[in-house]
Amino acid sequence: MHLDLPVSYLDALLGAEIKVPTFDGDVHLKLPANTKTNSVFFNYLEAMGFKGSIY
Protein backbone atom coordinates (compact mmCIF):
# COMPACT_ATOMS: atom_id res chain seq x y z
CA MET A 1 0.00 0.00 0.00
CA HIS A 2 1.30 3.45 -0.89
CA LEU A 3 -0.15 6.62 0.61
CA ASP A 4 0.77 10.27 0.11
CA LEU A 5 -0.18 11.87 3.42
CA PRO A 6 -0.12 15.64 3.80
CA VAL A 7 1.64 16.77 6.97
CA SER A 8 1.67 20.29 8.35
CA TYR A 9 4.89 22.28 8.34
CA LEU A 10 4.99 22.41 12.16
CA ASP A 11 4.46 18.65 12.52
CA ALA A 12 7.33 18.00 10.10
CA LEU A 13 9.57 20.53 11.82
CA LEU A 14 8.86 19.64 15.46
CA GLY A 15 7.87 15.98 15.09
CA ALA A 16 4.47 14.54 15.89
CA GLU A 17 2.45 11.36 16.17
CA ILE A 18 0.13 11.11 13.18
CA LYS A 19 -2.67 8.71 12.32
CA VAL A 20 -2.14 6.72 9.12
CA PRO A 21 -5.09 4.83 7.62
CA THR A 22 -4.48 1.18 6.68
CA PHE A 23 -6.68 -1.70 5.52
CA ASP A 24 -6.97 -2.96 9.13
CA GLY A 25 -7.64 0.44 10.72
CA ASP A 26 -5.53 3.41 11.71
CA VAL A 27 -1.89 3.09 12.77
CA HIS A 28 -0.03 5.74 14.76
CA LEU A 29 3.29 6.80 13.24
CA LYS A 30 5.86 8.83 15.18
CA LEU A 31 7.08 11.46 12.76
CA PRO A 32 10.64 12.47 13.74
CA ALA A 33 11.58 16.12 14.11
CA ASN A 34 13.08 17.77 11.01
CA THR A 35 11.37 15.37 8.60
CA LYS A 36 12.19 16.41 5.04
CA THR A 37 9.84 16.73 2.05
CA ASN A 38 9.15 13.45 0.21
CA SER A 39 10.33 11.29 3.13
CA VAL A 40 9.22 7.66 2.93
CA PHE A 41 8.37 5.50 5.95
CA PHE A 42 7.85 1.74 5.91
CA ASN A 43 5.93 -0.53 8.26
CA TYR A 44 7.08 -3.96 7.08
CA LEU A 45 5.56 -6.02 9.89
CA GLU A 46 2.04 -4.67 9.51
CA ALA A 47 2.35 -4.86 5.72
CA MET A 48 3.01 -8.59 6.04
CA GLY A 49 0.09 -9.06 8.46
CA PHE A 50 2.06 -9.53 11.68
CA LYS A 51 0.70 -8.06 14.91
CA GLY A 52 2.49 -7.86 18.26
CA SER A 53 5.86 -9.41 19.06
CA ILE A 54 7.67 -11.72 16.68
CA TYR A 55 10.17 -14.31 17.91
Side-chain angles (χ1 to χ4, degrees):
M1 179 175 145
H2 175 86
L3 175 68
D4 289 326
L5 188 66
V7 177
S8 75
Y9 175 75
L10 284 177
D11 286 347
L13 180 66
L14 301 175
E17 186 169 310
I18 57 173
K19 218 184 316 183
V20 179
T22 66
F23 294 121
D24 294 328
D26 293 341
V27 173
H28 293 275
L29 172 72
K30 288 188 179 183
L31 194 66
N34 297 319
T35 298
K36 306 294 184 230
T37 302
N38 296 324
S39 294
V40 177
F41 296 92
F42 296 96
N43 188 346
Y44 292 109
L45 298 179
E46 291 230 359
M48 294 187 303
F50 292 110
K51 305 277 187 213
S53 298
I54 298 174
Y55 296 97

